[in-house]
């Protein structure tokens, strides 16, 4: 008679399932790669520091202007084209990674994606955009990619045929690529640390007589118009990320636009169990990319805008969603 309550408790404990969540693991992974790719840019404040760039390029947003050890495939492509070379390596990496993982690196690896997630976390909620406006603005990143390739591709052809010097000069900063010249991460981890490093060295050796209004005006005057434009873009990036989750990934990112094509047929996708699913729409509410999950094929869905962040899995109260590979 004394063993019956014990058996009952054990039986109930045996039915309890401990649920795991993806967000703690993803946050740790994002933070680690953020420090690896972009955090080293802060080291440029040290005059003796000399970062060595790796040959590795990945389908993420990591500007060639920063001190990051890994470069974005998009930046690598435009720099190859600028010199009249076909970008076999970055294109191949994008195709292989896209075919296997889709846009997984957007949700787990990209430092710019991590910055946006931090901003959304601080805000405390995931806001949505009116459906028609959302679908309309998604096209913007494809337009920007076409524009970037028109600039870099035409310059590459001109250089290949030996007539690109004048064209390169006329393009000015855009010769390196549209998203090399104008980019928020390049400003945050490249341009601003370089300016701060110069200011740090100046303040370390300056006399009190050097800190005059005229000298300060002269110093500000030497900052180029392009740099000021990039600062404005950075401020706009932060504001947009505050208003709309993953704004850059949704509507601007050139890497995301290219990887969206491969995401449609990638081996890694998502599965929804129609038996467990009660269509409560908690998954759609939590999705930072505003994907209509309940309208997609439940067997396996690979929406072009899905960054495989697994936020929908964490939000589903019934546990109806799971990754699917292949």
């Amino acid at each position: 008679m004394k063993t019956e309550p014990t058996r009952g408790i054990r039986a109930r404990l045996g039915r309890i399932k401990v649920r795991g969540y993806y967000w703690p693991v993803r946050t740790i992974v994002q933070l680690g790669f953020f420090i690896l790719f972009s955090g080293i840019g802060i080291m440029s404040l040290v005059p003796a520091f000399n970062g060595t760039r790796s040959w590795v390029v990945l389908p993420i947003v990591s500007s060639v202007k920063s001190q990051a050890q890994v470069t974005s495939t998009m930046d690598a492509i435009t720099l190859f084209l600028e010199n009249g070379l076909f970008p076999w390596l970055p294109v191949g990496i994008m195709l292989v990674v896209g075919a296997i993982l889709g846009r997984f690196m957007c949700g787990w690896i990209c430092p710019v994606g991590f910055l946006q997630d931090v901003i959304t976390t601080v805000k405390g909620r995931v806001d949505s955009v009116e459906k028609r406006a959302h679908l309309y603005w998604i096209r913007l990143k494809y337009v920007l990619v076409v524009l970037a390739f028109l600039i870099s591709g035409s310059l590459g052809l001109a250089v290949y045929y030996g007539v690109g010097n004048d064209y390169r000069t006329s393009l000015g900063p855009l010769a390196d690529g549209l998203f090399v010249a104008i980019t928020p991460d390049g400003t945050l981890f490249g341009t601003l640390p370089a300016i701060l490093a110069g200011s740090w060295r100046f303040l370390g050796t300056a006399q009190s007589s050097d800190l005059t209004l005229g000298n300060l005006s002269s110093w500000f005057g030497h900052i180029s118009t392009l740099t000021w434009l990039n600062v404005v873009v950075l401020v706009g990036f932060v504001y947009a990320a505050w208003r709309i989750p993953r704004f850059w990934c949704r509507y601007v990112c050139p890497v995301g636009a290219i990887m969206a094509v491969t995401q449609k047929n990638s081996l890694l996708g998502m599965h929804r169990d129609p038996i467990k699913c009660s269509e409560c729409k908690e998954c759609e509410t939590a999705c930072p990319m505003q994907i209509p999950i309940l309208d997609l094929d439940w067997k396996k869905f690979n929406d072009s805008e899905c960054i495989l962040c697994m936020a929908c899995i964490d939000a589903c109260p019934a546990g109806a969603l799971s990754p699917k590979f292949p």
Side-chain angles (χ1 to χ4, degrees), residues 53-58 69-72 89 93:
R53 187 170 299 278
S54 168
W55 61 269
V56 178
V57 292
L58 292 175
Q69 300 298 287
V70 177
T71 302
S72 166
L89 178 62
I93 289 174

Side-chain angles (χ1 to χ4, degrees), residues 13 29 55 72 83 177 214 266 272 280:
L13 289 175
V29 171
W55 61 269
S72 166
N83 292 284
S266 66
R272 179 169 61 91
C280 64

Side-chain angles (χ1 to χ4, degrees), residues 226-291:
L226 181 63
T227 299
W228 286 116
L229 175 61
N230 273 287
V231 171
V232 172
V233 170
L234 177 60
V235 174
F237 164 82
V238 174
Y239 174 74
W242 180 266
R243 294 294 304 272
I244 301 172
R246 289 268 181 166
F247 175 90
W248 180 268
C249 304
R250 291 189 189 194
Y251 309 130
V252 182
C253 182
V255 179
I258 298 172
M259 298 305 290
V261 178
T262 62
Q263 170 66 27
K264 292 288 291 183
N265 298 291
S266 66
L267 295 179
L268 180 60
M270 299 292 294
H271 166 73
R272 179 169 61 91
D273 189 335
I275 297 177
K276 294 181 179 179
C277 180
S278 61
E279 299 190 0
C280 64
K281 294 190 176 184
E282 290 293 328
C283 55
E284 294 185 354
T285 302
C287 178
M289 299 297 286
Q290 200 171 322
I291 297 170

Side-chain angles (χ1 to χ4, degrees), residues 28-103:
I28 294 172
V29 171
Q30 284 181 298
L31 179 60
F33 279 104
F34 178 82
I35 295 172
L36 176 65
F37 292 161
S38 303
I40 199 169
I42 306 300
M43 291 297 294
S44 61
L45 291 172
V46 180
F49 177 76
N50 184 19
T52 302
R53 187 170 299 278
S54 168
W55 61 269
V56 178
V57 292
L58 292 175
I60 56 173
V61 180
S62 182
S63 177
V64 72
K65 292 198 300 183
S66 72
Q67 291 289 337
Q69 300 298 287
V70 177
T71 302
S72 166
T73 46
M74 186 65 186
D75 284 13
I77 288 173
T78 55
L79 290 175
F80 267 98
L81 292 175
E82 179 192 3
N83 292 284
L85 302 172
F86 189 81
W88 294 107
L89 178 62
V91 169
I93 289 174
M94 294 187 86
L95 291 177
V96 171
V97 172
I100 299 173
L101 299 177
R103 294 183 66 179

Side-chain angles (χ1 to χ4, degrees), residues 24 26 60 114 131 143 235 249 257 274:
R26 186 168 74 99
I60 56 173
F114 175 65
K131 183 177 180 181
V143 174
V235 174
C249 304

